[in-house]
Amino acid sequence: MRIDRLELYHVRSPLPAPLHVAAQPGHGQTHNELTFVRMTTDEGVVGESAGMTLGRFHAGLGDALGPFILGRDPLDIEGFGSVLDAGEALGIRLAWLEPALWDIAGKVKGKPVYELLGGGRDRLRAYASTSELRSPDERAENLLELKEMGFAAVKLRAHYPDWRDDVAVIERAREAVGPDLALMVDANQGFHFSLLPGAPPKWDVDIAAAFASAIEPCDMTWIEEPLDRNDYAALAELRQRTSIPLAGGELNWRFNEYGLLVEKQCLDILQADAMFFGGIAECRKVAALAEANGLAFAAHTWNNGFALLANLHLMAASPNCEWCEFPYEPPGWTTEGRDALLAETTEIDDDGYVHLPQHPGLGIVIDEDKLESFGERFYDGRA
């Protein structure tokens, strides 16, 4: 079997309302933009995936790497790492291409990917992952709505110019929901958007420690990305200065960086994302690394509906994963807006669990009408 056809589409699907991501101040997101990939084998098996993009960032991807993808054995997933390495050499993250191979493998074997990975769980507890800055009262009201929907946990954002204002939001949130809703908070300091006007201030270890100390009475499940992802000394120091578990790793480039995070005792929870780092195969190794060292794994999924599905299979096969990140921030980031091209949106049940798709492969079902309406094919290569 070989990859006989490679198609790439630029997709720009409108959101129901503008989304104001806390880590990107002044930028109102009005569309879900992604690069959609469809690989077809010479036996007619189709594998699909999609990666986040800004405009036509991947416009030359097909011409550059198509010749190295076409003709490959799609079941040689480890070997596909050489293509990802080539992208890294060009400064482009291409991990999002790799899940399309798992999609093919699952269809060939007639099994969902999590079963190919050895996973036995068919559902995971979801936490609602928010993205915007909202006033204490507005966020408290929002959390009560999420709790009523069935969520057992919610992740907030810490991005006010003065971190004490973030503390006020968290304190009001805990007061509103009581003790039986888990709360996480994401500082998004792993990569700092310093080029944007009005960007949140860059934290140092003393600010992060002061913030952590202030919210310790709020019984937080974790603080995510409180410092630069490669500042191992500062992360290790912060971990000693707070009782709140630290999480991170969504944007690390290479496996040895995760090894250093473990070796230097920087984090309690590793959060590799199969669409940003190494694909499902490499992120599976990160989950195993965490497990071997007594750490938790909770894949980052804030991206699009394809990322949620790919990482969902990975997490279901990781015994040290307790929570599934469920990106959800209406009115802008609804399940329909997030899942864009997917004919079947991923939802939670009444008990706050997200269920694994039972279709062979990743469980991707494309709405071809939406692809035609919002997508533009910019590469169609054949072996």
Side-chain angles (χ1 to χ4, degrees), residues 27-368:
H27 175 66
Q29 183 177 340
T30 59
H31 290 76
N32 184 357
E33 278 195 283
L34 51 89
T35 302
F36 171 67
V37 60
R38 176 175 280 162
M39 301 182 190
T40 306
T41 74
D42 54 359
E43 297 180 10
V45 184
V46 176
E48 296 162 323
S49 185
M52 180 187 299
T53 187
L54 293 175
R56 300 179 184 274
F57 180 74
H58 298 120
L61 182 61
D63 293 331
L65 294 179
F68 301 100
I69 297 174
L70 290 166
R72 298 186 70 95
D73 177 359
L75 302 185
D76 180 17
I77 296 175
E78 285 288 342
F80 195 74
S82 62
V83 176
L84 305 187
D85 287 344
E88 181 181 327
L90 297 172
I92 306 173
R93 291 180 182 264
L94 296 177
W96 54 273
L97 292 171
E98 187 255 24
L101 303 183
W102 286 99
D103 196 29
I104 291 172
K107 291 172 180 176
V108 170
K109 301 292 185 180
K111 293 183 177 182
V113 168
Y114 76 93
E115 291 187 5
L116 296 186
L117 295 170
R121 292 183 290 172
D122 62 2
R123 66 175 192 167
L124 288 167
R125 282 204 300 175
Y127 71 84
S129 186
T130 67
S131 69
E132 298 185 332
L133 289 182
R134 297 184 181 178
S135 70
D137 286 342
E138 185 180 7
R139 183 55 77 187
E141 181 179 350
N142 170 235
L143 290 185
L144 291 173
E145 294 170 354
L146 293 171
K147 186 177 179 182
E148 183 67 23
M149 289 175 61
F151 284 105
V154 178
K155 186 168 74 182
L156 307 173
R157 301 283 164 164
H159 284 287
Y160 280 105
D162 187 335
W163 59 266
R164 296 168 188 83
D165 293 327
D166 295 310
V167 172
V169 174
I170 294 169
E171 289 176 337
R172 179 70 183 92
R174 177 54 74 199
E175 177 188 27
V177 301
D180 57 347
L181 186 78
L183 293 179
M184 303 88 160
V185 61
D186 190 346
N188 278 129
Q189 294 286 328
F191 172 80
H192 197 250
F193 291 90
S194 58
L195 297 179
L196 293 171
K202 186 175 182 179
W203 287 7
D204 59 24
V205 68
D206 290 328
I207 291 176
F211 173 76
S213 177
I215 63 174
E216 280 184 348
C218 297
D219 187 25
M220 305 300 292
T221 299
W222 72 61
I223 300 175
E224 188 169 327
E225 291 205 310
L227 294 165
D228 186 280
R229 68 184 186 275
N230 295 126
D231 194 343
Y232 306 109
L235 284 165
E237 178 183 341
L238 177 62
R239 194 174 180 221
Q240 295 302 311
R241 291 173 65 175
T242 180
S243 62
I244 303 175
L246 302 185
E250 68 188 58
L251 286 176
N252 288 78
W253 272 93
R254 302 189 66 83
F255 186 78
N256 67 345
E257 293 181 19
Y258 294 98
L260 286 170
L261 288 169
V262 172
E263 177 188 337
K264 304 295 185 183
Q265 301 184 37
C266 298
L267 300 173
D268 301 277
I269 304 131
L270 299 186
Q271 295 181 302
D273 185 329
M275 295 304 208
F276 288 155
F277 166 73
I280 293 173
E282 287 297 299
C283 284
R284 186 185 186 190
K285 297 174 187 176
V286 173
L289 174 69
E291 183 183 11
N293 287 275
L295 305 177
F297 179 73
H300 172 270
T301 74
W302 188 279
N303 191 322
N304 53 51
F306 294 88
L308 177 56
L309 285 175
N311 284 294
L312 187 59
H313 288 275
L314 169 68
M315 290 185 282
S318 303
N320 53 336
C321 179
E322 179 181 5
W323 294 103
C324 169
E325 181 174 26
F326 192 90
Y328 186 67
E329 184 76 298
W333 205 246
T334 59
T335 56
E336 292 80 10
R338 178 199 67 203
D339 294 352
L341 299 183
L342 300 177
E344 302 174 4
T345 59
T346 302
E347 308 286 351
I348 64 164
D349 64 19
D350 292 340
D351 296 318
Y353 285 83
V354 57
H355 291 251
L356 273 293
Q358 296 305 305
H359 307 299
L362 292 175
I364 292 170
V365 179
I366 297 298
D367 185 325
E368 297 294 338

